[in-house]
Amino acid sequence: MYAQLVETGAKRVKSLDEMSPEERAFQEKIDAETKIEPKNWMPEGYRKTLIRQISQHAHSEVVGMLPEGNWVTRAPTLKRKLQLMAKIQDEAGHGLYLYSAMETLGADRDEEIEKLHQGKAKYSSIFNYPTLNWADMGAVGWLVDGAAIVNQVVLQRTSYGPYSRAMIRICKEESFHQRQGYQILLDMMREGTDEQKQMVQDAINRLWWPALMMFGPHDDESPNSQQSMAWKIKRKSNDELRQMFIDQTVPQLEYLGCTAPDPDLKWNEETGHYDFGEINWQEFYDVLKGNGPCNRERINTRKKAIEEGAWVREAAVAYAKKQKQRAAAA
Amino acid sequence: MNQKEALTEYLLRLADSDMILGQRLCELCGKAPALEEEMALMNVALDLVGQARNWYEYASDLIDDGRDADKLAYRRDAHDYRNLLLTEQPNEDYAVTMGRQFFFDVWHYFTLKSLVNASDERVAGIAAKALKEVTYHLRRSSEWVKRLGDGTEESHRRMQDAVDILWRFTGELITPDETDQLMAQAGIGPDPEQLKEDWRGLVKEVLQEATLTPQPDDAWMYMGGKHGEHTEHLGFILAEMQFLQRAYPDATTW
């Protein structure tokens, strides 16, 4: 999930009786599965929650270019290099698409990016982990994009029309990335040297738990989720999505011939699901607060890019203005 | 040098120039001045590395010593690389990045335009696909040179500096050597005189529109890339780019 902890501002979900007529009409529309569109009336809380969530999602796409960009100059073959470039390009495109969806809610892209750079807006915790070997490119595709897809497939039914349509479009590309990522790992496990196989297992050991954290806190620790679910921004709870992800991913892990760094992971015949160990929530909240391995580096890189690019953007604006004046004079 | 040797050499020049410039653009991932530019830079890099792969594949068939495209890209050292010196120059600020791209794109565009009609079918085929991509690259870099040159005072100063810094590497683009001559005679490569005229003509036209001043045609030029004599930059580019292939020589699949 690329937006794992979104404030809704609501401590408790209002019942229909407590709502104003407008709110009630809105909620009834939501309950009837009618999509909300930019010009429709919506509660301020709904608007703000969506701006937070979609901007977090967009920021995640942009910051998410960095751990992969870290290896694009070192990709080991022409084929892998081309795949990685195509993927990074897609991510920039997803970022743009999501910022556009966010702007339909009256938010401003530059302002939201400024909030990110000031540490006031979040992005997915996963991108604060370093990419330390080439197999990380496979593991990020498989686990991180895999987790994102589980979440985004559900978000295709989210109640806000522009967000839902963005998810439909983005999911197609993400699924492709995920298969490519898995293929990187599979090829290394099947045809690689012992050193390469070790790289794969090492990548999984480091990224397994951070990928599970992408779904956010436990449901009972997630008060914002209830309002998001009532508004049908969220369609499934964090724990439900996490379980779905585990259930679909463990067989893929076994097929690779690798293991998860979780001694408690095992199939539960009774529930029909995999049981798994407890996430290190201290680490999760530390990373969200800015104290993960790469939080500083990621934000500094993005800040620097935008700050050092200011003169370029100013030049583009000045040139466009001159061209307009010339056209008017001609 | 016979024609096959000249063609092999010529293909490696095309491939290496595409590869090294693509690599330089990859370094900018996540560091562009705007999100639209992230997409565009990666898009151009993707085109260039894709073209490099096509040229390498053809070269490897001609060389026919068991080395495939990856081996040519990842296992040759700097003295075997044949890229233009311009392509290995550092990104510096966005004016240098765009100036480098523009000078290269103009050369690339006219070269490919000629290669499309090459007597060698495989060259013509690869060039036809590449030309579509490079037509877009040229439009984009020309636009940026104009925007920066005719933008603000600061951007004008930076863009003029970039032109001045990079100019000495442009001679290599339009100064033919034996390989270029042989390729022209074989009806494969562009006519060197025509290429020189086309390159200078378009570069000056765009610079003028961008309110920028070119350096004189007879300015001193730094050359050698086409013969494997590079600037100090290439060694570092290759050290980074080839690291995995070099560190794990036994790995055959990645």
Side-chain angles (χ1 to χ4, degrees), chain B residues 3 6-15 17-18 51-52 54-55 58 84 104 106-132 134 179-192 194-195 198:
Chain B
Q3 196 185 310
L7 178 58
T8 308
E9 184 74 11
Y10 192 74
L11 292 172
L12 285 175
R13 289 178 183 181
L14 290 167
S17 290
D18 288 342
Q51 292 170 25
N54 293 336
W55 296 128
Y58 190 8
L84 296 161
F104 178 79
V106 175
W107 171 84
H108 207 188
Y109 174 76
F110 286 118
T111 299
L112 290 169
K113 237 181 133 181
S114 172
L115 290 180
V116 165
N117 300 313
S119 60
D120 183 301
E121 260 181 44
R122 191 159 169 191
V123 169
I126 297 171
K129 185 175 176 291
L131 180 61
K132 286 183 201 148
V134 172
T179 304
D180 296 313
Q181 301 285 7
L182 277 169
M183 282 298 98
Q185 282 159 21
I188 296 174
D191 170 56
Q194 187 63 45
L195 180 66
D198 288 340

Side-chain angles (χ1 to χ4, degrees), chain A residues 120-187:
Chain A
K120 289 178 190 160
K122 293 187 182 70
Y123 56 92
S124 177
S125 59
I126 191 72
F127 301 120
N128 293 309
Y129 290 86
T131 49
L132 301 179
N133 78 45
W134 168 253
D136 287 21
M137 293 305 99
V140 166
W142 171 46
L143 294 173
V144 175
D145 291 320
I149 292 165
V150 165
N151 179 55
Q152 289 173 172
V153 163
V154 185
L155 282 176
Q156 293 180 30
R157 295 190 294 116
T158 194
S159 59
Y160 187 57
Y163 193 27
S164 139
R165 290 189 288 273
M167 288 300 102
I168 291 167
R169 197 158 139 171
I170 288 173
C171 271
K172 287 181 194 155
E173 290 180 349
E174 295 281 15
S175 309
F176 187 63
H177 299 161
Q178 195 211 7
R179 282 201 299 277
Q180 275 182 345
Y182 190 67
Q183 196 64 45
I184 287 175
L185 302 181
L186 200 57
D187 286 353

Side-chain angles (χ1 to χ4, degrees), chain A residues 310-330:
Chain A
W311 70 271
V312 177
R313 299 190 302 277
E314 283 159 17
V317 171
Y319 179 77
K321 213 169 136 189
K322 283 186 202 175
Q323 289 295 93
K324 213 173 158 187
Q325 283 166 355
R326 280 173 199 148

